[in-house]
């Protein structure tokens, strides 16, 4: 927390930032395309070390070939590697997908479990992935601490913790459980669109007055506006099939001009 700020003042400031973000991103949502819990689980595993856009461009062919855990568990590894090659680290990811599909088939009747303790036992599935699936496929509140979330909560001085599990615990103590999933979406949306890693668009940021790190990035409003990404900058988003209320443009399919 900023010097001289009490814990109560921090909680109030953090909750106000969340309310402001809710005004800016009323349509915030998971940026992975999925139609069921299995597709979301697979897409989230694939999203490590790549963009959601690249995952969304890759999964249509993957799910056409292997629509169920049983199909995926029986896949030829080399053929799956070729399908998911665009997401990077495709050999390790193939191993995880084959392992988690077999576990779903053998231990959970071919269904994705709706409990954190079961999800984290699956190959390639950690707390972040489990919370994404719980929050967005099962409606179970969860905090998703990805690189954007961790960066922003440290910039806002909500915590100085680096370890994602510790960050999750701190944030869970600041916000009611009912806010956890949407808070995650809003923070991640803001990190991708405005509060970038190397050059945040401070001069175009709607929560600048509440941010103790204001000035780390470009403060000139005109220059800052040029740094905005996705729908904020007038560009396509990451989903090929965004929700109906998304104000931006759908992303192009793989290979599209």
């Amino acid at each position: 927390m900023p010097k001289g700020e009490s814990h109560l003042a921090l909680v109030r400031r953090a909750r106000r930032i969340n309310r402001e973000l809710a005004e800016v991103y009323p349509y915030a949502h998971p940026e992975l395309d999925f139609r069921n819990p299995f597709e979301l689980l697979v897409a989230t595993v694939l999203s490590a070390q790549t963009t959601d856009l690249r995952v969304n461009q890759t999964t249509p062919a993957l799910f056409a070939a292997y629509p169920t855990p049983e199909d995926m568990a029986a896949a030829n590894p080399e053929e799956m590697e070729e399908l998911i090659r665009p997401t990077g680290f495709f050999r390790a990811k193939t191993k995880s997908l084959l392992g988690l599909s077999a576990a779903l088939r053998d231990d959970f009747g071919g269904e994705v479990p709706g409990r954190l303790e079961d999800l984290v036992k699956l190959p390639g599935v950690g707390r972040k992935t489990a919370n994404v699936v719980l929050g967005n496929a099962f409606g179970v509140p969860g905090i998703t601490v990805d690189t954007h979330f961790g960066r922003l909560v440290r910039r806002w001085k909500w915590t100085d913790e680096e370890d994602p599990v510790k960050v999750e615990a701190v944030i869970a103590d600041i916000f009611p459980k009912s806010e956890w999933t949407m808070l995650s979406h809003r923070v991640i949306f803001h990190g991708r669109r405005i509060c970038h890693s190397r050059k945040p668009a401070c001069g175009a940021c709607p929560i600048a007055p509440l941010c103790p790190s204001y000035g780390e990035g470009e403060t000139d409003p005109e220059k800052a506006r040029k740094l905005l990404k996705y729908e904020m900058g007038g560009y396509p988003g990451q989903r090929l099939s965004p929700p109906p209320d998304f104000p931006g443009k759908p992303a192009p399919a793989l290979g599209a001009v």
Side-chain angles (χ1 to χ4, degrees):
M1 64 184 75
K3 199 173 179 183
E5 184 177 52
S6 68
H7 181 70
L8 179 60
L10 182 151
V11 169
R12 285 177 173 160
R13 182 170 61 83
R15 291 183 179 188
R16 190 170 163 208
I17 286 175
N18 182 41
R19 289 195 299 274
E20 297 280 341
L21 292 178
E23 295 283 324
V24 179
Y25 309 111
Y27 50 84
H29 59 273
E31 293 192 86
L32 291 166
D33 287 327
F34 69 98
R35 295 168 297 186
N36 55 56
F38 176 62
E39 289 191 357
L40 179 57
L41 177 62
V42 168
T44 308
V45 169
L46 289 177
S47 71
Q49 306 296 314
T50 190
T51 62
D52 286 359
L53 170 60
R54 185 49 58 92
V55 174
N56 292 336
Q57 292 172 324
T58 303
T59 49
L62 180 69
F63 294 137
Y66 317 114
T68 68
E70 292 82 358
D71 296 322
M72 192 168 282
N76 175 297
E78 287 78 19
E79 289 172 10
M80 186 187 286
E81 284 177 5
E82 280 309 304
L83 284 172
I84 68 169
R85 183 183 285 267
T87 69
F89 301 94
F90 55 90
R91 290 193 181 89
K93 289 178 182 179
T94 294
K95 190 176 175 185
S96 291
L97 294 184
L98 290 172
L100 73 83
S101 298
L104 293 176
R105 178 195 64 196
D106 299 341
D107 303 332
F108 297 101
E111 299 289 332
V112 176
R115 298 193 317 159
L116 182 80
E117 53 266 43
D118 292 329
L119 285 166
V120 294
K121 289 177 189 167
L122 298 171
V125 178
R127 283 187 71 90
K128 186 191 90 170
T129 296
N131 278 327
V132 169
V133 173
L134 288 173
N136 300 291
F138 293 102
V140 177
I143 295 169
T144 303
V145 184
D146 71 352
T147 53
H148 300 287
F149 192 95
R151 179 178 79 251
L152 268 60
V153 299
R154 285 187 288 273
R155 265 189 188 155
W156 295 333
K157 306 291 192 280
W158 293 359
T159 180
D160 56 7
E161 296 287 358
E162 296 277 347
D163 178 76
V165 176
K166 290 179 180 175
V167 170
E168 184 185 334
V170 170
I171 305 308
D173 195 44
I174 294 175
F175 292 92
K177 201 178 258 194
S178 59
E179 284 292 310
W180 289 357
T181 299
M182 285 308 298
L183 170 73
S184 300
H185 291 325
R186 292 167 193 146
V187 173
I188 292 166
F189 254 60
H190 193 63
R192 286 175 169 165
R193 285 150 178 78
I194 296 177
C195 195
H196 312 307
S197 175
R198 282 190 281 278
K199 203 166 186 184
C202 293
C205 180
I207 59 163
L210 299 168
C211 181
S213 299
Y214 176 79
E216 272 189 25
E218 180 57 67
T219 56
D220 179 85
E222 279 303 312
K223 291 178 181 173
R225 266 195 287 277
K226 291 176 182 170
L227 299 172
L228 300 179
K229 293 184 181 176
Y230 303 118
E231 77 281 4
M232 290 290 174
Y235 304 108
Q238 300 211 82
R239 290 188 72 160
L240 279 64
S241 304
D245 62 343
F246 180 62
K249 305 169 190 169
L254 198 65
V257 178

